[in-house]
Amino acid sequence: MDLPSQYNPKDTEKKIYQFWMKNGYFKPEKNAPKKSKGAYTVVLPPPNITGSLHLGHALNVTIQDALIRWKRMQGYKTLWVPGIDHAAIAAQNVVEKNLKKEGISRFDLGREKFLEKVWEWKEKYGDIILDQFKQIGISCDWSRCRFTMDKEYVKAVETAFQYYYEKGMIYRGKRVVNWCPRCQTSLSELELAHQEEKSNLWHIKYPLAENKDQYVTVATTRPETMLGDTAVAVNPKDERYKNLIGKKIILPIVGREIPIVADPMIDQAFGTGAVKVTPAHDMTDVEIGRRHNLETIQVINEYVKMNENTPAAYQGLKVAEARLKIVEELTGLGLIEKIEEYTHQVPRCSRCNALVENLPSWQWFVKMDELSQKAIKAVESGKIKFHPKHWENLYFSWLKNVRDWCISRQIWWGHRIPIWFCQTEPEKYFLSIKPPKKCLICKKCQPKQSEDVLDTWFSSALWPFAVLGWPNKKAKDLKTFYPTDSLTTGHDIINLWVARMIFSSLELLNKIPFKDVIINAMVKTKDGKRMSKSLGTGIDPLLMIEKYGADATRFGLAWQITELQDMRFDEANIMAGKKFANKIWNAARFVCWQLPDKEKIDIKITPRPKTETDKKILADFKELVKSTDKLLADFEFGKAIQDLYHFFWHNFCDIYLETAKKQISESQDKKLQANTRKILMYVLTNSLKLLHIFMPFVTEELYQVLPIKNKKKALIIESWPK
RNA sequence: GGGCGGUUAGCUCAGCUGGUAGAGCGUCUCAUUUACACUGAGAAGGCCACAGGUUCGAGUCCUGUACCGCCCACCA
C-alpha cells in the first residue's frame, strides 16, 4: 500500500472516531470478549455546563482513557460513563450575567421564566464541552451520557434526600452561615475563597457598668458588628481581667448592658486579650455564645445592610458605611484607644468573589458525624486508596473536623427541596416528593414548597451510582458495574466531591463508590502561574490538537504526568508527540515495504529469534509489556509512556529496523529474511497495541492497513500483548 | 498559626529500600537524501537550594534555614 511519508492527524482523527462510534466499541456490550475478565468501570467527573475545555480536563481524560483502553484490550467489559453537571450557582450566575447585559435581573423574570432561560442555555451549551472531549479521542459510552438534572437523576436526588430526612440526618435550623450577598445564598465553607486584605485592628474602650471611668479595651477588625455584641470574653487564666469576670459592661452607642465572660478559646496574646462577642455574625462567637447562653442579635441583613436592630442612624447603611460611622462616633466619644494596621484573610465567594458575610439564617443541614466516620474508615482501612497517598491527609483533616453540611441554597437553578410548609402553622412542614394534594399538617391549607434548592454537590455526590441506575436496585448497570474501579480528578475537589461521594455511597448503598482515587496534577503555565482565561494564561487544548493532533497532545500531557502537585505545562512535549506519531507512522511504512505482496503475518505467534539482535528485541519487548503493565497498575502514566517511547524509537527503530535492513537485503538466507519480516511485524503491531492507549488514532489507522493475519476489526478491541 | 508539595543540566522533569547523576526538548559537531530532516551518530552542559548531622560512603536518611506554590484554621 502507499502511505504518505507524513502522518496527517486531521484526516485521520475524525474518520477513526466515527468508525469507533459506528461500531459501538465504547459500549461494554460490544467491546468485551464473550468470556470477559469482569467489569472495569470509570465515571467521568462531569464538567459544568458553564465550562469550556482546558488543559486540566485534557490531562484528566487522557489518564482515564488510557486506563479504559488498557482494560478493554485486556479483555474486561469496560464502561466509561460521561455526563454533565448542572452546577447550580455557577450556571445561574452565568445566565444572570447575560441577562444583566439586557438590563434584566432574575427577579424581573420570576422563577419559572428564569429557569426556562437556564434550560435554554443548557440545551445550547451543555454538550459543547463533551464534543470537545470527543476530539481528544476519549472512549466514553455516549449512549449512557447523563445530566444531573435529567429525570432519572432527579429521582436519585429525591430518594437520597428522603432517606436522610426520614433517618433524621437532615434538619432545619437557624444557624450562622456564610452568606454571599451577590448570589443571595448561603455557601458551605468549601465554597469560600480566602483572600488577604489590608485592614485595621481597632482598639475600642468598653466602659464598665459599675464605674464608667473604667474600661475594658477590645480589639476588633469589624467595629460595625459591635451593635450586635452580647458579651465581652476573656481567657479565664488572664490575670489582667480575672477580677472583671462576671461584671457588666455598657455597650457604647447602643447602651446595652452585656456581661464579661470567661472562655478558654480566647487567646491572651492576641490584641488586648479581650474580645467582643457577636454571636450573630461570627462563627467563633456562635460557640462562645452557646457556651454562655448569650443572646443572638442580628444587626446585618442579607443585603449586607444594617437592620432594624441597630440605632436609627445606622439602619439601612451598608456594612462599610456603618464601619466608618461607628469609628467616627467612637472617636467622638473618646473610646478609640488606638488603630493598628492589620492584614488578615477575608472570606469571599468562590463563584463571584463578593465579600461573604456571616449571618443567622434558616437553612437545611445534613448531620456529618456518622457520615464522616464512615468515610474516614473506608480510606483508613485501605478499601479506598488515594494516589499519590499524601492526598489522604487533606481528606482526613477535613473529615475529622467537619461541620454539618449546609445543603440549602437560596437560588433557583437546581434540585428544589421537597419540603412543604403548612400555611396555617408556618413553622411546620413535611416532606413530599410530589406536590401534595393537601397539607399533611393542618389538612386544610394549600402548602407551599420550600423556595430553596440543594447544594450542587449534594447531587454530584451521588454521581457514580446514580448514573448507573440507582435508586432502582434492579438496574442492570448498577449490578454489573458498581462499585466502579478508579476515579480520576483534581485535588481541588477532594473534599467538595470525592469525600461526599464516598460517604453517600457508603450510607445509601453500603458500598464504596470506587477503589482508587487518582489525583492528577494541576496544570500550570511554564512559569508556574495558574492557567486562567481572565489572566490570558490559559492554553486551549483544542488549539494544541489543531496544531499537533490529538495523539500528540495526549502524548505531551501524559509524558509530563508525575506525582507532583502541579505540573508546568511545556508545549515542547506536545511537539515531541507529533514527531513521535510521525516516527511510528514511518516505521510502519517501512515494515510494510519489507513485506512481499499479499503476505499476511500472524502476530499472535511469537517468532523465534535467529540472530542476537532478534533475541534482544524480542526479549526487550517482552520485558516492556511486563513493565508497562506494572506501571499502569501503579498509575505511573508518565513513566509508562516514556518507556514505550524509548523502546519504540531507539530499541526498535534505531537498532532493530537498521539491523533488519541488513538481515533482509544483505543476506541470501531466505529463512532469515522471512523470519526477520515476522519479527518486524510482530514487534511493530504489538507495540501499536501498547501505544494505542495513549495515542489511539495513529495506531488504529496503521492497524487498519497493516497486513495482519486473522486481524480483528479494530485495534481498540484487540487483545493486549502478554 | 498548622499541614502538604517543590527547590537536580538552558527549559520541563526522572532518580524505589543510600554507592561518585539520568530522560525529553534545546545547544554544538558530523553524517545522510537509501521508512522518517518531524532523520541518524556523537558531544558539550550539573560542587543535585543552603547549613549541620548519621555513615566507609548521601541528590537519596535525620535536624534546621531560606525561597516558591498549594491547602486548612474560630488570633477576634
Side-chain angles (χ1 to χ4, degrees), chain A residues 692-708:
Chain A
H692 177 75
I693 66 169
F694 292 110
M695 308 178 79
F697 291 112
V698 65
T699 50
E700 181 72 81
E701 172 82 349
L702 289 170
Y703 181 84
Q704 294 299 328
V705 298
L706 285 168
I708 300 162

Side-chain angles (χ1 to χ4, degrees), chain A residues 606-623 647 651-652 655-664 667 669-683:
Chain A
T606 315
R608 296 244 170 109
K610 294 222 185 278
T611 65
E612 278 306 306
T613 320
D614 291 351
K615 211 169 157 183
K616 178 87 169 48
I617 195 73
L618 289 169
D620 285 351
F621 182 75
K622 202 173 174 188
E623 187 50 41
F647 171 84
N651 298 37
F652 184 59
I655 298 172
Y656 194 75
L657 243 59
E658 293 307 316
T659 311
K661 284 178 191 171
K662 290 178 194 148
Q663 289 186 178
I664 290 171
S667 163
D669 185 344
K670 286 258 155 59
K671 279 186 182 168
L672 176 64
Q673 290 175 351
N675 196 59
T676 303
R677 290 188 190 109
K678 276 187 190 166
I679 296 177
L680 279 173
M681 269 296 280
Y682 175 83
V683 177

Side-chain angles (χ1 to χ4, degrees), chain A residues 7 48 105 119 134 171 276 281 290 337 345 394 402 407 423 428 431 463 480 492 518 520 572 576 625 628 667 715:
Chain A
Y7 168 58
N48 287 354
S105 84
W119 274 107
K134 288 177 188 167
Y171 66 91
K276 60 192 271 315
H281 298 288
R290 190 176 307 148
E337 192 175 283
Q345 302 274 326
L394 179 64
V402 70
I407 53 167
Q423 296 303 292
K428 293 194 176 168
L431 179 138
W463 185 250
T480 315
D492 51 337
I518 303 161
N520 54 244
V625 173
T628 301
S667 163
L715 178 58

Side-chain angles (χ1 to χ4, degrees), chain A residues 486-500:
Chain A
S486 59
L487 178 90
T488 307
T489 191
H491 63 73
D492 51 337
I493 50 178
I494 286 177
N495 293 323
L496 275 169
W497 190 46
V498 180
R500 285 165 176 166

